[in-house]
Amino acid sequence: MSLLLAFDDEAALAQRLAQAIGRQHAFVDRHHFPDGETRLRLPASLPAHVVLLRGLQQPNDKLTELMLAAAGARELGARRLTLVSPYLAYMRQDTAFTPGEVVSQRHVGRALAAWFDDVVTVDPHLHRVATMDEVVPGRRAVALTAAPLLGAWVAQRLPDALLLGPDQESLQWVRAAAAAHGLDHAVCSKKRRADRAVEVELPNGVDLRGRAVVLLDDVASTGSTLVEAARGALARGAATVDVAVTHALLVGDALEQLRAAGVREVWSTDSVPHPSNVVSIAPLVAQALSSIAPGT
C-alpha cells in the first residue's frame, strides 16, 4: 500500500492524482517562522511506499522543503520514496556557458537522486541531455509529455488549427501534439537578447492567412517569446492566435502582455496551478506510477 503526500498549495492536483491511482492522500503541514525557517509536520506513521507530489516552480524555498520532507518520510517509515514533480526547475542550465558558472541541472539532479528512489516529471526543459536518467543518476527517472493532451484539447475546439512552435526547441512538443491529432504544424526561430528581449522569425512558406493559430510550448515564463510569435502571426494574417502550454508559470504581467499582443485564449495543464488550467496530467502520471511501482 502506498500514500500520496502533497503540499496544500497543490491540493487540487493531489486530489485528482489520488483518485486516479486509487490511494489515500495526506498533506504536509507547514509553519513559517518569522526568521524564514519552516517547520514541517508529516503523518506520524507512513507506509513503506510514499509518493511525494511537489512541483518546483519558485524552487528555492521548495527545494529546502523537499529535502526535509524526504528525510522526515524516511524516519517515519517510508522505505521507498517516489517524487512526482510536474514542473522540474533548474533543468535549462545543463552546461557552463561562461567560466565559473555552476551547472545547476547536474547538482539538483544529484540531490534528487540522494533523496528519492524514483522521479517522475512532465515535459522537462532539457537541451543537451537526452534523458532524465542522466539528470538523476542511479535512479529511475521518467519524463512524460503532456503535448498529446494539449493537442487533443486544441483539436476538439479548433480542428483546423495550425500548431506553431515559438522556437526550434519547441519542435518536439509541437510535433507530438500535431501527430496525435492530425493537425498542421510549423516552428519559428528565435534569438534571445536578454531574459525579456527576444526576436522571433516566423517560418517561411507557411501561409497563415485566415488560419486559427495555436502557439504551443512546454513552458510560458515571462511570455516574451510567445508575445513576439503572436504579433508576428497576426501580422501575417492569422485569424486568431491562442496559446497552449504544459507549464503556465506566467510570471509578473506575462498574461496581460499576451492579451495585449492579441492572444485570445491561454490553455495549460494543471502541472502548475494557474487560472488557465484546462487539462489534467493526473491520468498521465497515474499510468507512469503504475509501471514504476505496480500496485501504486
Side-chain angles (χ1 to χ4, degrees):
M1 184 64 69
S2 61
L3 174 74
L4 176 65
L5 193 59
F7 290 76
D8 58 4
D9 56 350
E10 293 177 302
L13 178 56
Q15 291 163 0
R16 295 184 191 112
L17 182 55
Q19 184 176 12
I21 64 176
R23 293 291 181 264
Q24 291 185 334
H25 67 285
F27 292 104
V28 177
D29 181 74
R30 289 179 293 171
H31 175 77
H32 299 290
F33 292 104
D35 62 3
E37 293 185 6
T38 301
R39 181 187 66 210
L40 302 183
R41 184 165 64 241
L42 281 61
S45 179
L46 292 175
H49 183 208
V50 171
V51 177
L52 181 59
L53 172 67
R54 194 48 167 162
L56 289 177
Q57 57 275 13
Q58 299 91 44
N60 293 349
D61 290 340
K62 291 182 178 180
L63 280 167
T64 300
E65 293 177 351
L66 197 63
M67 173 189 67
L68 295 173
R74 300 280 190 193
E75 291 180 339
L76 292 167
R79 294 196 299 273
R80 182 173 184 178
L81 279 176
T82 300
L83 173 65
V84 174
S85 188
Y87 176 74
L88 197 55
Y90 286 116
M91 291 298 101
R92 65 167 58 90
Q93 186 77 28
D94 57 6
T95 190
F97 297 99
T98 60
E101 278 188 351
V102 175
V103 182
S104 54
Q105 183 195 90
R106 180 185 307 153
H107 301 294
V108 169
R110 288 174 180 171
L112 296 179
W115 303 339
F116 295 96
D117 301 291
D118 321 282
V119 176
V120 178
T121 189
V122 181
D123 288 330
H125 204 76
L126 304 180
H127 296 292
R128 285 154 289 272
V129 175
T131 69
M132 281 300 299
D133 287 333
E134 297 177 61
V135 177
V136 189
R139 300 297 189 182
R140 177 77 179 271
V142 177
L144 308 172
T145 180
L149 300 178
L150 290 170
W153 175 270
V154 172
Q156 289 171 3
R157 283 147 188 81
L158 301 167
D160 295 323
L162 169 69
L163 296 184
L164 185 62
D167 54 32
Q168 288 294 328
E169 292 169 0
S170 66
L171 176 59
Q172 57 182 306
W173 295 291
V174 172
R175 185 160 47 197
H181 304 285
L183 297 170
D184 294 336
H185 72 281
V187 295
C188 305
S189 57
K190 177 181 72 174
K191 291 183 180 179
R192 181 173 293 280
R193 305 300 183 187
D195 287 344
R196 295 177 181 269
V198 296
E199 296 178 7
V200 174
E201 182 177 339
L202 270 68
N204 293 323
V206 178
D207 188 359
L208 302 185
R209 290 174 295 178
R211 298 293 303 267
V213 173
V214 178
L215 301 173
L216 190 142
D217 207 354
D218 62 327
V219 59
S221 182
T222 67
S224 300
T225 302
L226 292 168
V227 162
E228 293 304 313
R231 288 173 177 163
L234 290 169
R236 289 260 294 265
T240 58
V241 175
D242 300 300
V243 166
V245 294
T246 300
H247 309 297
L249 301 182
L250 293 170
V251 298
D253 65 348
L255 190 58
E256 290 76 13
Q257 291 292 326
L258 287 170
R259 301 289 191 207
V263 170
R264 184 179 58 171
E265 298 286 347
V266 177
W267 301 312
S268 66
T269 77
D270 58 358
S271 65
V272 176
H274 190 269
S276 65
N277 293 165
V278 295
V279 175
S280 182
I281 61 169
L284 184 69
V285 173
Q287 184 177 9
L289 290 174
S290 68
S291 64
I292 290 174
T296 297

